[in-house]
Amino acid sequence: MGKYESAHIVWDWNGTLFHDNDAIIGATNAASAELGLAPITLEQYRALYCVPVPKFYERLMGRLPTDAEWEAMDEIFHRYYAEHRALCGLTDGAAELLAGWRSAGGSQSLLSMYVHEELVPLVRGFGIEPHFVRVEGRVGPSGGSKAEHMVRHLRSLGEVRPGRTVVIGDAADDAVAARAVGAQAVLYTGGSHGRASLEEVGVPVVDSLAEAVEEAQRLVA
């Protein structure tokens, strides 16, 4: 029996395991330019980003985008991102942490709001797919919360117990999704949110994925 038998981590992808900040900021600025908005920095993005995503653009624009504007911006965002994600890689130490958790007897899965048909080959290309019992991306329209997806995700995992599950992500919405299923969460500052906004959620906040796994170990001990 492994040390963390029956313990489970649900990993986020964008901004957590996948270090894609440059592609995300570039795609955001490309989408915003469609409406004549000035480009923003990573620090500004982290201060303003929220879910659902149209609310984030409301913070940038001073109003919610219309349905037509949202569709145009969403299409531009994903086209730019798809072109530039090839320049991005895994977060430092991610592959080793995934292997370590698995060898210690824990299980893990990946739940992302990135479109499923593009997520799976991307994960597979990094050679880390065997570490996960399930890899699941978004099916359906973009822009919503991860909570409803998390409910379905954990249900699909069968014997995984919510009380022995830790969600590791980079956004406040990851903690919201964890609460929706009765799991715990650890939030990582290297992605879409700054530390100040993450600390408002009331869950552990860390500056590296190694610290995130250490915190997950503590939570399930």
Side-chain angles (χ1 to χ4, degrees):
M1 298 286 284
K3 184 177 180 181
Y4 297 107
E5 194 78 27
S6 83
H8 185 81
I9 291 176
V10 180
W11 290 94
D12 175 56
W13 179 245
N14 302 97
T16 304
L17 290 175
F18 191 43
H19 187 65
D20 59 351
N21 289 342
D22 289 344
I24 290 287
I25 296 302
T28 298
N29 285 331
S32 299
E34 175 74 6
L35 299 183
L37 301 176
I40 62 172
T41 65
L42 175 60
E43 290 71 26
Q44 290 171 315
Y45 178 88
R46 285 174 167 166
L48 295 171
Y49 182 74
C50 63
V51 173
V53 180
K55 293 289 290 182
F56 163 64
Y57 284 105
E58 181 182 25
R59 293 180 174 184
L60 292 179
M61 300 167 59
R63 63 173 176 82
L64 279 171
T66 66
D67 290 345
E69 288 171 336
W70 166 248
E71 290 177 9
M73 295 167 73
D74 194 47
E75 192 278 329
I76 292 169
F77 178 96
H78 285 96
R79 184 174 69 241
Y80 182 103
Y81 180 84
E83 293 171 355
H84 290 79
R85 72 184 184 196
L87 302 174
C88 304
L90 294 177
T91 301
D92 288 346
E96 293 79 8
L97 290 166
L98 293 172
W101 182 262
R102 183 184 180 195
S103 66
S107 63
Q108 54 201 335
S109 58
L110 195 161
L111 176 63
S112 172
M113 296 298 281
Y114 190 47
V115 62
H116 182 78
E117 63 186 17
E118 296 184 30
L119 172 70
V120 173
L122 188 56
V123 172
R124 191 169 293 154
F126 284 112
I128 58 174
E129 187 181 22
H131 296 310
F132 303 110
V133 296
R134 186 175 182 85
V135 174
E136 188 173 5
R138 173 179 52 80
V139 177
S142 63
S145 172
K146 186 181 277 189
E148 62 185 86
H149 300 273
M150 186 68 73
V151 172
R152 291 194 297 268
H153 183 73
L154 246 63
R155 188 180 297 135
S156 72
L157 297 179
E159 296 183 0
V160 169
R161 291 186 289 160
R164 295 277 292 166
T165 297
V166 180
V167 176
I168 298 179
D170 69 316
D173 191 53
D174 290 301
V176 173
R179 287 173 181 158
V181 295
Q184 302 189 76
V186 179
L187 299 180
Y188 163 61
T189 62
S192 62
H193 283 41
R195 172 174 281 276
S197 60
L198 292 179
E199 287 179 339
E200 294 176 0
V201 185
V203 302
V205 177
V206 298
D207 296 320
S208 71
L209 293 189
E211 291 176 275
V213 172
E214 289 175 4
E215 193 64 28
Q217 291 169 340
R218 185 187 68 79
L219 291 171
V220 300

